[in-house]
Amino acid sequence: MHAKGHCSCRGASSVWILTGGLFLTDYSTCSPRKLSPFRSFASTELFHFHVPEDTFLAVWNLIIFKEQGGTFGDHCPDQSVTVYFRSGAPPVINPLHTHFPGDTAVPGVFSLTLSWTLPNRTSGIFNVSSPLPGDWFLAAHLPQAHGHISVKGLQDECQYLLQPQLIVRRLLDVAVLVPGRPSEQTLSAHNRSALYKVFVPSFTYRVSAQLVCVGGRGASACPLTLRLRPKAPPLHNSSSVACGGASVCQLELALPPWGHWVYVRVETPSRGPGRTVRFQLCVWLQECPQPSLSRALVPGAAMNMPQSLGNQPLAPEPPSLRTPAEGPGATSPPEHCWPVRPTLRNELDTFSVHFYIFFGPSVALPPERPAVFALRLLPVLDSGGVLSLELQLNVSSLRQENVTVFGCLTHEVPLSLGDAAVTCSKESLAGFLLTVSAASRVARLRIPFPQTGTWFLTLRSLCGVGPRFVRCRNATAEVRLRTFLSPCVDDCGPYGQCKLLRTHNYLYAACECKAGWRGWGCTDSADALTYGFQLLSTLLLCLSNLMFLPPVVLAIRSRYVLEAAVYTFTMFFSTFYHACDQPGIVVFCIMDYDVLQFCDFLGSLMSVWVTVIAMARLQPVVKQVLYLLGAMLLSMALQLDRHGLWNLLGPSLFALGILATAWTVRSVRRRHCYPPTWRRWLFCLCPGSLIAGSAILLYAFVETRDNYFYIHSIWHMLIAGSVGFLLPPRAKTDRRVPSGARARGCGYQLCINEQEELGLVGPGGATVSSICAS
């Protein structure tokens, strides 16, 4: 699990008096969070807020500031910050305009891009009038990076931090209406509106509000406007009716969401009548007849069982006593009133939930009635995954009929499918339509970050050829239904990794793509690396480590056995680490990735350490102690921070300090520059130093994500080559050489007296044996 930081939200409240009633102001804020350049949704920062019921205004104050090295980042470049807002679930964003996986529904979001108004600070305001209650999510990121791989610690990084704050204002005294009971109300001259609400239980298919003005006459008998909206107070564009000269006006809301409030607002025009208006308000709920337990247990088609389990006709439904008479043009109750079948929820793991139906997974669809199923997604817990639905038609059940099965998935209220024109939308309600037939037997739907609550799936079988269908006569279609919740779409495929992320107490999952693949499910191959390119990059990164073979041979010939063992260790683990570190499918791991990475980094640093210490020509005991001490300290440093700059520079500078001290002491005692031969400097030390310096510059300033495979391969070859040049020759034993002998090749001039060479002879004890040999 990857933690995206802690959003420690703090809140405060205050009560105010507004014209028309009391309201409460709530304040909440989250701690600042560092923003990252966008690569995938896994690189965004997610913030979670809660908006209470009866809120008429929500204001997000977005504070963004720069930091560099613990101070204000006045010299950091300006980068635009994009913030996305969504109610009910995290926003599904696509700033790179990549392709989504097939059969994926993409919900809409609000977005806001902020620019800088001050050198190190800016802010933005996002207002939402009458926001939907419940969970709100904010996602923020920086623009896509240029791909440079920066070395940690080389310079102070510019950090861009976002701190969102939420201010909500909610009413405290919203009057609750009792369905079917008229209520006498008064709108005073100084009040322009009055707000009411009524609760909508399950199986309600219509809400009707009626307003009757009392005491008014003439054209301005009822200067009021009636507005309706589910879940939140009405807006200017909500369903409305102006009463005008009529003393009675009525407004209906079809298919309201179940288990929520419906708000009713009565308001006067901007230039009100200037007098107190009395009116009578009444709300009716038209509900479906709910079947009794005995009817719910009827087998066969009543439970949409497969034909193999039996199919018995269902007795006609009795009329509902609570449903008022239908007016002309109103939708008849049977169109929306079918039994809703529950599903069994089986939780396997985080974001791994399967929904099972009774007598399933096959569902029989008789021609005269649809099948309606309910899927319950738990608040907060289930909105961070992907809701997947799959329909598969059993063609053998069609009996040579041209049958098409339609599925309509809606949120919070079921929507029936008509007998003729098949749509999955009605007025303000819109769902997702699926179709299976003999020509296309399988239909799939994926909804990333679904809204929580109850989802309803309506299945209906119709005959004929589109766009006009008719009710089938004697064909009962059978479909196989599979519904589940998963962390990512198809587990991100072979070119992605599904990551479980956390922000404070909220869990969500997102794909992190590799090898140039992009998109929500790592299915966009526009910039993908080909198999040949992946194979080439893997071979370059692995085979470039063979450049350590010449230093290994040279070290063995010079009797540097310990150093040769370190170079061999580095060559082996660097080869297999890069074989395991590849982003595509050309990957080969001989052990755990973390172990390979640790050994590769340790071998690289130890190679530098032992080479520089060997150049210092220290006493064997001192050299072995430094080797062992370096191995232990480097292991500790890598465990603390594996990518820090000082993990490379610290040991290198310390070893160079030991080397400089040893050479300086030796030069002072001998009164001659050490090493004394110009050939050693010209042909070995200078080229080796230049090669090592070039490697460090490439690693620190040139390497990017696009050129990594060949720049890093060059780094391997340069480091191995520099070792071959810098490694000193084998130490000579005491023996006489002709005075005219000269050094050849790249060897140091070694003094014959080994004690003097090791600094064990004082200045007064120096003898004529300072004759040097190559």
Side-chain angles (χ1 to χ4, degrees):
M1 182 186 298
H2 298 258
K4 297 291 286 185
H6 296 275
C7 180
S8 54
C9 294
R10 302 173 297 275
S13 301
S14 60
V15 180
W16 300 82
I17 299 179
L18 182 69
T19 302
L22 296 175
F23 71 90
L24 180 69
T25 301
D26 292 332
Y27 304 88
S28 58
T29 181
C30 287
S31 57
R33 302 264 292 280
K34 176 187 172 183
L35 302 180
S36 302
F38 183 83
R39 298 188 306 272
S40 65
F41 193 85
S43 61
T44 63
E45 290 298 325
L46 190 66
F47 300 88
H48 179 203
F49 290 92
H50 182 78
V51 175
E53 293 181 342
D54 304 337
T55 297
F56 64 90
L57 179 63
V59 179
W60 274 276
N61 182 25
L62 308 174
I63 303 174
I64 305 174
F65 52 93
K66 308 174 187 176
E67 282 188 357
Q68 186 177 21
T71 60
F72 292 110
D74 295 336
H75 302 290
C76 294
D78 292 344
Q79 294 199 53
S80 60
V81 177
T82 306
V83 185
Y84 303 85
F85 301 80
R86 188 187 175 201
S87 169
V92 180
I93 63 176
N94 187 22
L96 302 182
H97 307 290
T98 56
H99 296 293
F100 280 85
D103 307 315
T104 301
V106 183
V109 297
F110 302 103
S111 64
L112 179 67
T113 302
L114 302 177
S115 56
W116 294 89
T117 55
L118 295 175
N120 56 20
R121 185 183 179 93
T122 188
S123 62
I125 300 294
F126 184 76
N127 296 332
V128 181
S129 299
S130 297
L132 296 178
D135 298 308
W136 277 76
F137 294 87
L138 278 67
H141 63 81
L142 298 174
Q144 185 181 20
H146 49 74
H148 177 69
I149 302 177
S150 59
V151 180
K152 185 177 180 181
L154 185 62
Q155 58 181 358
D156 290 332
E157 179 186 5
C158 287
Q159 297 184 355
Y160 302 82
L161 297 97
L162 170 63
Q163 182 178 20
Q165 299 174 344
L166 174 62
I167 305 171
V168 296
R169 289 186 173 181
R170 57 188 177 94
L171 295 170
L172 295 178
D173 55 353
V174 180
V176 178
L177 300 175
V178 180
R181 181 181 300 175
S183 175
E184 296 286 343
Q185 303 291 335
T186 301
L187 195 62
S188 58
H190 61 275
N191 287 342
R192 287 194 50 210
S193 66
L195 186 65
Y196 311 90
K197 64 181 180 180
V198 60
F199 186 76
V200 178
S202 299
F203 301 100
T204 301
Y205 66 90
R206 185 181 297 113
V207 176
S208 302
Q210 186 182 68
L211 187 146
V212 179
C213 283
V214 179
R217 294 181 180 179
S220 60
C222 197
L224 299 176
T225 300
L226 186 62
R227 299 183 187 273
L228 289 180
R229 186 190 178 198
K231 298 186 180 181
L235 296 168
H236 63 88
N237 58 350
S238 302
S239 301
S240 63
V241 59
C243 298
S247 59
V248 179
C249 56
Q250 185 171 341
L251 184 61
E252 293 183 348
L253 179 65
L255 301 177
W258 294 352
H260 292 275
W261 295 97
V262 168
Y263 289 82
V264 182
R265 185 187 296 277
V266 179
E267 59 184 21
T268 60
S270 56
R271 296 182 179 180
R275 59 181 174 85
T276 299
V277 180
R278 297 175 54 215
F279 59 92
Q280 186 182 80
L281 185 62
C282 187
V283 176
W284 289 279
L285 302 181
Q286 298 178 0
E287 302 179 38
C288 297
Q290 301 182 29
S292 62
L293 180 62
S294 61
R295 292 182 54 80
L297 298 178
V298 172
M303 290 295 292
N304 302 101
M305 292 164 48
Q307 298 177 11
S308 58
L309 299 179
N311 192 345
Q312 299 181 8
L314 183 69
E317 297 276 0
S320 173
L321 298 178
R322 293 179 295 173
T323 304
E326 298 296 322
T331 305
S332 60
E335 181 181 348
H336 304 287
C337 298
W338 300 108
V340 177
R341 307 302 176 190
T343 55
L344 296 176
R345 177 187 174 95
N346 184 19
E347 296 187 11
L348 304 178
D349 202 347
T350 306
F351 300 131
S352 183
V353 180
H354 283 239
F355 298 93
Y356 297 100
I357 59 176
F358 292 100
F359 309 106
S362 295
V363 181
L365 302 176
E368 69 276 3
R369 59 183 298 134
V372 184
F373 300 93
L375 311 172
R376 175 69 175 170
L377 298 187
L378 300 181
V380 179
L381 297 178
D382 293 341
S383 61
V386 179
L387 179 62
S388 300
L389 190 147
E390 181 178 311
L391 286 179
Q392 185 175 2
L393 179 64
N394 184 4
V395 182
S396 61
S397 65
L398 301 183
R399 301 178 181 177
Q400 306 300 321
E401 293 280 349
N402 189 9
V403 179
T404 302
V405 176
F406 297 92
C408 180
L409 184 66
T410 53
H411 187 231
E412 295 181 333
V413 60
L415 179 61
S416 316
L417 297 171
D419 291 338
V422 179
T423 60
C424 195
S425 61
K426 185 176 181 66
E427 297 181 2
S428 60
L429 179 64
F432 305 98
L433 184 65
L434 297 91
T435 306
V436 289
S437 61
S440 178
R441 303 181 183 182
V442 180
R444 295 181 179 87
L445 175 66
R446 301 183 181 96
I447 304 177
F449 296 159
Q451 291 182 311
T452 56
T454 304
W455 288 80
F456 295 93
L457 175 64
T458 304
L459 300 177
R460 184 71 185 270
S461 62
L462 297 174
C463 290
V465 180
R468 304 293 294 181
F469 293 90
V470 296
R471 181 180 296 184
C472 298
R473 295 182 179 180
N474 195 26
T476 299
E478 188 173 309
V479 295
R480 183 182 180 90
L481 175 62
R482 183 169 175 256
T483 309
F484 58 94
L485 188 70
S486 60
C488 299
V489 177
D490 293 336
D491 202 24
C492 301
Y495 292 99
Q497 180 183 7
C498 185
K499 288 192 172 183
L500 184 61
L501 308 169
R502 177 176 63 87
T503 170
H504 195 34
N505 60 345
Y506 181 75
L507 293 176
Y508 62 103
C511 289
E512 191 168 74
C513 306
K514 51 189 178 182
W517 291 75
R518 301 189 303 173
W520 196 263
C522 301
T523 55
D524 191 334
S525 60
D527 299 326
L529 305 179
T530 63
Y531 178 81
F533 187 88
Q534 296 178 46
L535 182 61
L536 175 63
S537 62
T538 303
L539 292 177
L540 277 176
L541 288 169
C542 293
L543 298 181
S544 59
N545 289 285
L546 296 179
M547 281 294 294
F548 272 98
L549 284 177
V552 169
V553 174
L554 182 62
I556 293 176
R557 291 188 60 185
S558 301
R559 297 181 182 176
Y560 291 107
V561 181
L562 188 58
E563 289 80 356
V566 173
Y567 302 151
T568 305
F569 179 91
T570 303
M571 178 179 63
F572 178 84
F573 279 102
S574 180
T575 299
F576 285 100
Y577 164 68
H578 286 290
C580 185
D581 186 47
Q582 294 308 299
I585 59 176
V586 187
V587 179
F588 179 70
C589 298
I590 62 172
M591 59 182 68
D592 187 71
Y593 174 83
D594 190 68
V595 175
L596 290 173
Q597 186 186 65
F598 177 83
C599 293
D600 172 59
F601 286 22
L602 179 62
S604 301
L605 296 180
M606 281 299 297
S607 297
V608 177
W609 176 262
V610 299
T611 302
V612 179
I613 296 299
M615 293 171 61
R617 291 285 194 179
L618 301 175
Q619 197 173 8
V621 176
V622 178
K623 183 173 70 171
Q624 292 170 9
V625 170
L626 288 176
Y627 282 177
L628 184 59
L629 185 63
M632 292 187 294
L633 293 179
L634 288 175
S635 300
M636 180 194 68
L638 290 175
Q639 193 66 24
L640 291 175
D641 187 2
R642 203 165 291 181
H643 299 277
L645 175 64
W646 288 103
N647 286 344
L648 175 63
L649 288 184
S652 302
L653 294 178
F654 185 67
L656 289 175
I658 296 175
L659 174 65
T661 302
W663 283 8
T664 302
V665 170
R666 192 169 289 117
S667 299
V668 170
R669 287 181 175 178
R670 300 176 57 186
R671 296 186 178 90
H672 195 280
C673 181
Y674 184 87
T677 60
W678 63 270
R679 288 185 178 85
R680 178 65 183 172
W681 288 96
L682 181 61
F683 297 112
C684 296
L685 295 180
C686 290
S689 301
L690 289 176
I691 293 174
S694 302
I696 294 175
L697 292 177
L698 286 178
Y699 178 79
F701 301 105
V702 180
E703 194 172 271
T704 64
R705 291 186 178 88
D706 296 331
N707 62 20
Y708 173 81
F709 78 99
Y710 60 86
I711 293 296
H712 201 75
S713 300
I714 297 174
W715 149 269
H716 288 165
M717 294 184 285
L718 292 178
I719 288 297
S722 66
V723 169
F725 278 96
L726 296 176
L727 191 67
R730 180 173 57 186
K732 305 287 186 177
T733 57
D734 275 344
R735 62 182 178 86
R736 288 283 183 178
V737 294
S739 58
R742 284 186 169 266
R744 295 185 180 181
C746 292
Y748 286 112
Q749 282 192 333
L750 303 178
C751 293
I752 292 177
N753 191 331
E754 190 175 3
Q755 291 184 340
E756 180 185 355
E757 177 69 18
L758 296 176
L760 303 179
V761 180
T767 62
V768 217
S769 59
S770 58
I771 304 174
C772 297
S774 60

